[in-house]
Amino acid sequence: MRKWTVPSALLLLCIIFLLPDQGRKLHASAVGDSDELVDPPKVEENLGAIPHGLSTDSDVAKRESESISKRSLRSNAEKFEFQAEVSRLMDIIINSLYSNKDIFLRELISNASDALDKIRFLSLTDKEILGEGDNAKLEIQIKLDKAKKILSIRDKGIGMTKEDLIKNLGTIAKSGTSAFVEKMQTSGDLNLIGQFGVGFYSVYLVADYVEVISKHNDDKQYVWESKADGAFAISEDSWNEPLGRGTEVKLHLREEAGEYLDESKLKDLVKRYSEFINFPIHLWASKEVDVEVPAEDDESSDEEDSSESSPSEEGEDDSEKSDDGEKKPKTKTVKETTYEWELLNDVKAIWLRNPREVTDEEYTKFYHSLAKDFSEEKPMAWSHFTAEGDVEFKAVLFVPPKAPSDLYEGYYNTKKSNLKLYVRRVFISDEFDELLPKYLNFLKGLVDSDTLPLNVSREMLQQHNSLKTIKKKLIRKALDMIRKIAEEDPDESTDRDNKDVEKSGEEDEKKGQYTKFWNEFGKSIKLGIIEDSTNRNRLAKLLRFETTKSDGKLTSLDQYISRMKSGQKDIFYITGSSKEQLEKSPFLERLKKKNYEVIFFTDPVDEYLMQYLMDYEDKKFQNVSKEGLKLGKDSKDKDLKESFKDLTKWWKTALAKDNVDDVKVSNRLDNTPCVVVTAKYGWSANMERIMQSQTLSDAKQQAYMRGKRVLEINPRHPIIKELRERVVTNPEDENVKQTAQLMYQTALMESGFLLNDPKDFASRIYDSVKTSLNISPDATVEEEDLEEAEVETETETKEEAKVEEDIPASELKDEL
């Protein structure tokens, strides 16, 4: 037995030493295999130990970064294709050559703010929806990982379910994309992206791989990821730290976007674009602080050897001793880098401040933030006020520098408002079209009321009586704000006032501002006159137009009245498709000769406008192309009517089949022989043209509304005088009848009407040409020799066929 004892012991020792090595090899093999796994690792037990939820376990982060570095979507994720419109949009953004890529941050912060607004609104009726602890803090957090080049923006808003991620990030409204692309093509301004609901995709200006981690109270936590290559993937998140609720966007920045890893750069961007966001924005910022650390022993011994202690120093050493006689350890001060959350937007809500304390620059910044319009243009005007009484509220209203391209598209069918409603600083909605009438929907701003109830539905709030009071005050303030633009514009003043303005040194930037406003939003003022009978007179003061005396400049009704001739009781106007056309109108001949001023209305909506604007400052409006025009009394009028009585009676009978109601002697013509006018309350020629161009117009209604037509003749014109003589001599003369009919059709066309039978009119013109050229009325068109023409056609066909036969088949195929 003893012989086997020593070998056995040696064998046992070898096994013991070999086992740990084998274990280490197995462990190494497992680690090597893990690197090849595509699936993400599972969450670690100590994952939640790191505060603020923007960091992960180091091992998990390492393995995740290796997977992300390959820029491949996770294999276990559910793959989706982007909507065609999204792909089109992303191509524009990714391939954009625009230098201003900063906008991505403001868009992400704006989206985060919207998500926080939603959860705060829902919490009004369900307080438990916010949760407890950090989840209840409604804030936005920005964090950097310079080593991995990751920029993270997190909010604690409402979050997104899996379906929300697919719907919100994979598909968008086609109209929004099309409108953005169209605007990009015309203006080339990428800054406009936020106005079309496609702001999220601006992330691809700086990132080539994006992760969106989101948790909604009604669903699990999911990860949306995409490389902007036409596809995205969604998977259940089991490796990132639980968010609790909200959304975190991780941008894996491109090489050329390294500047966005600079804390100072991010601070400047937030200050510039998101200073007035209603939720705190925090940045995980570095900070250097002085820290006392123990001095090393080697350093202390070197100090002792370098110099001898003096009596005073010995006294100091004694003073450093503690009460129990022990000597305190020596320390030194060093710089140490620490990290903490830094608040970036500490500005108080601008509408809560005193208007006198807010600068013009702050109002401009607030407008850009509110309207998502970050062009360099300032708003034309703004009004910041507080209303007191039965309903208390604060409001800020802005007039934008430009009208959106779709301002009047679907005007009566769409519900949209640019006014945000807050109740006690809580955002309620921006869809309250009851706060402002439709014609003022171009204004942007917000209303914050302390008297409206918080814990009611939006539908109930719409019926609240206080809204009517708020609306009434907002309209009045809005119209005062617009009127002030005109009052401060030097171009709107009289000559005397202009001199005073020049002497006072008025700023040039106010010059021409109201003309600019009118060109952008003038149609809204006209629609207001049609829709708002209560404020019709106020809106009429804001009307601008060109006249026969305005020399191409805009003028107002007040200015027109100040230039009226003595004894003039009516405000004269004419409607048409263009100013150039109206200036040559025969209806203006006598008015110009007598020095009367006539307003030009060239917008199609003007026809509807003048059906509601019947008078202004006790002056009636008179369309000079309709019946009822009075230019003072003329003693000869009665004699002229009597002398042309036979002609007018004969002509009316001749035009009976053309539905001409009457033929009268005119007082409005000078060089033109005759014109066609309409009844005072019927459609004008311009209105008929507009109605006939309507797709769904009713022919029966047009015939009814067209009203009667009256042919007015110029008694001083030689053609009319000659017709009178010929009618008296021989009223049955066919040539006279043809001439009278042709003159009526010509007058009809010159007056702006469309001919019912253009072929008949053309035939009469050709007959008249024949007469002027002494061609017999019976002369006919020379007949063509049809047989000869047929022979020529057959010959040409045979020659073409022969040519084709001579061409090789290969050459003929190439030509085809």
Side-chain angles (χ1 to χ4, degrees):
M1 292 294 293
R2 290 182 180 179
K3 292 179 181 180
W4 293 98
T5 303
V6 175
S8 300
L10 291 173
L11 180 62
L12 182 60
L13 288 172
C14 290
I15 292 172
I16 292 172
F17 281 110
L18 287 172
L19 279 175
D21 292 339
Q22 188 66 25
R24 282 191 290 270
K25 289 178 182 178
L26 290 171
H27 177 70
S29 176
V31 173
D33 292 340
S34 67
D35 291 339
E36 297 175 2
L37 292 175
V38 181
D39 293 344
K42 301 299 180 182
V43 64
E44 303 285 341
E45 292 182 358
N46 62 344
L47 193 60
I50 299 176
H52 306 298
L54 288 179
S55 301
T56 58
D57 178 84
S58 58
D59 293 336
V60 177
K62 180 180 178 182
R63 284 176 284 183
E64 273 298 291
S65 65
E66 290 173 355
S67 173
I68 292 169
S69 65
K70 300 175 184 177
R71 291 294 186 266
S72 59
L73 304 182
R74 297 178 177 87
S75 63
N76 66 333
E78 189 176 354
K79 306 296 191 304
F80 299 89
E81 293 293 327
F82 276 116
Q83 180 193 21
E85 290 293 327
V86 179
S87 298
R88 180 186 176 199
L89 173 68
M90 293 171 75
D91 285 340
I92 294 174
I93 294 174
I94 294 168
N95 300 318
S96 172
L97 300 177
Y98 299 96
S99 58
N100 185 17
K101 300 181 185 295
D102 301 342
I103 60 171
F104 82 92
L105 185 63
R106 75 149 197 253
E107 295 302 327
L108 292 182
I109 291 177
S110 178
N111 291 344
S113 175
D114 292 342
L116 291 166
D117 275 327
K118 290 177 182 177
I119 196 67
R120 184 163 69 169
F121 178 65
L122 293 175
S123 69
L124 299 177
T125 54
D126 184 6
K127 293 183 179 180
E128 295 181 358
I129 200 171
L130 285 179
E132 299 177 352
D134 288 342
N135 285 341
K137 297 178 181 178
L138 301 181
E139 59 186 358
I140 301 170
Q141 297 175 336
I142 304 174
K143 198 166 188 180
L144 298 171
D145 189 335
K146 296 183 180 180
K148 299 173 188 173
K149 296 183 179 179
I150 297 176
L151 171 61
S152 301
I153 296 96
R154 175 179 173 180
D155 66 74
K156 297 179 182 178
I158 194 169
M160 288 181 280
T161 63
K162 180 181 178 181
E163 294 301 320
D164 291 336
L165 287 169
I166 297 172
K167 181 178 68 174
N168 295 340
L169 304 185
T171 61
I172 50 178
K174 183 176 180 181
S175 59
T177 312
S178 302
F180 171 67
V181 172
E182 182 182 347
K183 198 72 175 177
M184 278 280 293
Q185 291 173 345
T186 55
S187 67
D189 189 1
L190 201 62
N191 266 306
L192 300 172
I193 188 170
Q195 299 180 31
F196 299 91
V198 292
F200 167 77
Y201 302 100
S202 62
V203 295
Y204 290 103
L205 289 167
V206 296
D208 53 8
Y209 177 75
V210 178
E211 292 177 281
V212 179
I213 308 162
S214 194
K215 173 67 174 71
H216 191 280
N217 285 341
D218 299 336
D219 206 347
K220 300 177 182 178
Q221 182 166 310
Y222 285 92
V223 175
W224 179 98
E225 54 182 335
S226 175
K227 299 190 299 178
D229 57 355
F232 64 94
I234 296 179
S235 52
E236 186 178 339
D237 188 6
S238 57
W239 55 91
N240 290 304
E241 181 178 0
L243 296 179
R245 187 197 64 252
T247 301
E248 181 181 351
V249 181
K250 287 185 177 181
L251 308 182
H252 298 261
L253 300 176
R254 299 178 181 178
E255 291 294 332
E256 62 271 21
E259 60 182 309
Y260 299 106
L261 294 171
D262 183 4
E263 293 177 8
S264 60
K265 172 76 172 179
L266 295 179
K267 290 178 183 178
D268 291 341
L269 291 180
V270 172
K271 183 75 174 175
R272 178 182 177 185
Y273 291 123
S274 308
E275 183 178 10
F276 297 101
I277 292 293
N278 296 321
F279 299 95
I281 303 173
H282 292 101
L283 174 67
W284 188 244
S286 59
K287 184 180 180 181
E288 285 192 348
V289 295
D290 293 332
V291 180
E292 294 285 337
V293 297
E296 295 180 3
D297 295 339
D298 294 342
E299 293 179 1
S300 60
S301 61
D302 292 342
E303 290 175 0
E304 290 175 359
D305 295 340
S306 63
S307 62
E308 296 181 358
S309 300
S310 63
S312 60
E313 288 173 345
E314 291 177 359
E316 288 178 2
D317 290 341
D318 293 340
S319 65
E320 289 178 359
K321 293 180 180 180
S322 60
D323 296 339
D324 56 3
E326 293 183 1
K327 189 175 181 180
K328 292 182 178 179
K330 290 187 177 182
T331 61
K332 63 177 181 178
T333 302
V334 296
K335 297 286 185 181
E336 186 174 298
T337 302
T338 61
Y339 288 85
E340 61 182 14
W341 291 111
E342 181 179 342
L343 181 64
L344 302 183
N345 59 332
D346 55 352
V347 178
K348 185 180 179 182
I350 199 169
W351 64 91
L352 301 178
R353 296 163 60 186
N354 189 326
R356 297 178 182 176
E357 300 174 356
V358 185
T359 64
D360 290 357
E361 184 180 2
E362 287 179 310
Y363 278 122
T364 302
K365 283 185 177 180
F366 180 63
Y367 164 76
H368 286 158
S369 176
L370 183 74
K372 296 183 180 180
D373 176 10
F374 293 90
S375 60
E376 296 182 358
E377 291 189 83
K378 293 171 58 178
M380 290 191 201
W382 55 80
S383 179
H384 182 187
F385 60 93
T386 301
E388 298 178 348
D390 297 337
V391 179
E392 295 184 0
F393 67 92
K394 295 178 173 62
V396 184
L397 299 176
F398 293 94
V399 177
K402 287 184 178 179
S405 57
D406 61 342
L407 179 59
Y408 302 109
E409 290 182 10
Y411 179 79
Y412 290 106
N413 298 325
T414 58
K415 286 190 175 184
K416 60 180 180 179
S417 174
N418 293 313
L419 212 59
K420 294 180 181 291
L421 176 63
Y422 287 78
V423 176
R424 301 170 203 168
R425 268 65 65 198
V426 177
F427 174 73
I428 301 300
S429 177
D430 54 2
E431 298 178 357
F432 273 92
D433 53 343
E434 290 82 2
L435 281 176
L436 278 177
K438 284 186 178 295
Y439 69 88
L440 290 176
N441 63 3
F442 64 89
L443 297 177
K444 298 182 184 293
L446 61 83
V447 177
D448 188 356
S449 174
D450 289 338
T451 54
L452 290 174
L454 265 174
N455 55 345
V456 295
S457 66
R458 191 173 73 87
E459 289 73 17
M460 292 178 64
L461 191 57
Q462 285 176 327
Q463 305 301 323
H464 202 276
N465 291 331
S466 299
L467 280 181
K468 296 179 181 178
T469 306
I470 293 176
K471 180 178 181 179
K472 186 177 179 181
K473 292 184 178 180
L474 286 175
I475 293 174
R476 188 174 70 249
K477 286 290 186 179
L479 298 183
D480 288 345
M481 173 177 59
I482 296 171
R483 178 177 50 80
K484 191 175 179 182
I485 299 176
E487 291 177 349
E488 295 179 350
D489 187 350
D491 289 345
E492 288 283 313
S493 306
T494 61
D495 293 339
R496 179 180 56 81
D497 292 334
N498 276 331
K499 294 178 182 178
D500 296 338
V501 169
E502 290 173 3
K503 290 179 181 178
S504 64
E506 187 70 30
E507 295 180 2
D508 291 338
E509 64 180 34
K510 293 183 179 180
K511 187 178 180 65
Q513 278 295 297
Y514 195 77
T515 300
K516 180 182 177 183
F517 167 83
W518 184 257
N519 291 335
E520 295 290 336
F521 306 107
K523 186 174 291 186
S524 294
I525 301 300
K526 295 175 182 178
L527 290 169
I529 293 174
I530 295 171
E531 299 169 8
D532 190 353
S533 58
T534 305
N535 294 289
R536 187 164 290 157
N537 194 58
R538 287 187 178 186
L539 288 162
K541 288 184 178 295
L542 302 175
L543 272 178
R544 295 296 182 271
F545 37 77
E546 290 187 56
T547 72
T548 52
K549 292 184 177 181
S550 63
D551 296 326
K553 296 181 180 179
L554 294 178
T555 190
S556 65
L557 287 174
D558 289 331
Q559 291 171 332
Y560 178 94
I561 291 175
S562 68
R563 297 194 292 260
M564 285 175 64
K565 291 181 63 176
S566 59
Q568 181 181 345
K569 296 181 180 179
D570 296 334
I571 298 174
F572 298 129
Y573 73 93
I574 186 171
T575 60
S577 57
S578 68
K579 176 190 171 186
E580 291 73 19
Q581 175 204 2
L582 294 178
E583 285 178 328
K584 302 173 184 177
S585 173
F587 296 109
L588 303 183
E589 292 176 354
R590 194 86 182 276
L591 290 160
K592 286 182 178 179
K593 193 171 184 179
K594 289 196 170 187
N595 201 30
Y596 285 103
E597 186 174 10
V598 182
I599 297 171
F600 295 135
F601 282 133
T602 56
D603 194 336
V605 77
D606 292 335
E607 286 285 355
Y608 301 93
L609 166 71
M610 299 315 296
Q611 294 177 22
Y612 293 85
L613 191 63
M614 308 301 294
D615 57 75
Y616 179 80
E617 300 293 342
D618 298 327
K619 304 290 184 182
K620 299 289 184 181
F621 284 92
Q622 174 63 51
N623 189 335
V624 298
S625 67
K626 290 187 176 184
E627 282 185 313
L629 180 65
K630 296 178 181 179
L631 300 178
K633 293 182 179 181
D634 193 337
S635 58
K636 297 181 180 180
D637 286 350
K638 191 173 181 180
D639 295 336
L640 283 171
K641 289 179 182 179
E642 188 63 30
S643 65
F644 282 87
K645 185 176 181 180
D646 293 338
L647 176 62
T648 56
K649 186 177 180 181
W650 173 86
W651 211 337
K652 179 181 177 181
T653 304
L655 298 175
K657 64 179 182 178
D658 294 297
N659 296 322
V660 175
D661 188 73
D662 201 0
V663 179
K664 296 181 179 180
V665 174
S666 178
N667 64 342
R668 70 184 89 210
L669 297 176
D670 185 41
N671 298 320
T672 304
C674 54
V675 291
V676 178
V677 300
T678 56
K680 188 171 185 179
Y681 298 104
W683 282 349
S684 65
N686 188 52
M687 188 64 174
E688 278 193 29
R689 180 179 55 82
I690 292 171
M691 293 306 298
Q692 287 178 6
S693 65
Q694 300 296 320
T695 306
L696 303 176
S697 59
D698 186 352
K700 293 181 179 179
Q701 184 185 14
Q702 288 183 18
Y704 173 76
M705 290 300 297
R706 185 174 62 184
K708 59 183 181 179
R709 292 174 179 173
V710 176
L711 177 66
E712 290 193 0
I713 60 175
N714 184 358
R716 301 172 184 84
H717 200 281
I719 294 178
I720 301 299
K721 289 182 177 179
E722 181 63 24
L723 271 177
R724 179 184 62 175
E725 297 300 327
R726 295 202 178 195
V727 167
V728 171
T729 304
N730 185 9
E732 300 300 326
D733 188 348
E734 288 298 324
N735 289 333
V736 175
K737 290 182 179 180
Q738 288 287 340
T739 303
Q741 184 69 27
L742 182 60
M743 288 189 63
Y744 168 72
Q745 290 177 325
T746 305
L748 197 68
M749 190 168 57
E750 189 178 16
S751 301
F753 294 94
L754 297 176
L755 296 175
N756 294 331
D757 190 355
K759 179 66 176 176
D760 179 64
F761 173 71
S763 298
R764 294 179 189 279
I765 291 291
Y766 296 144
D767 291 341
S768 178
V769 171
K770 283 182 181 180
T771 303
S772 66
L773 296 175
N774 295 323
I775 298 174
S776 172
D778 299 328
T780 58
V781 179
E782 184 179 349
E783 294 290 339
E784 182 182 3
D785 191 347
L786 297 178
E787 293 182 1
E788 183 178 346
E790 288 178 2
V791 172
E792 290 178 357
T793 304
E794 289 178 3
T795 304
E796 290 176 359
T797 305
K798 289 179 181 179
E799 289 178 355
E800 290 175 358
K802 186 177 180 181
V803 171
E804 290 182 1
E805 288 177 1
D806 295 338
I807 298 175
S810 58
E811 294 183 14
L812 182 61
K813 183 178 180 181
D814 293 338
E815 288 185 8
L816 292 174

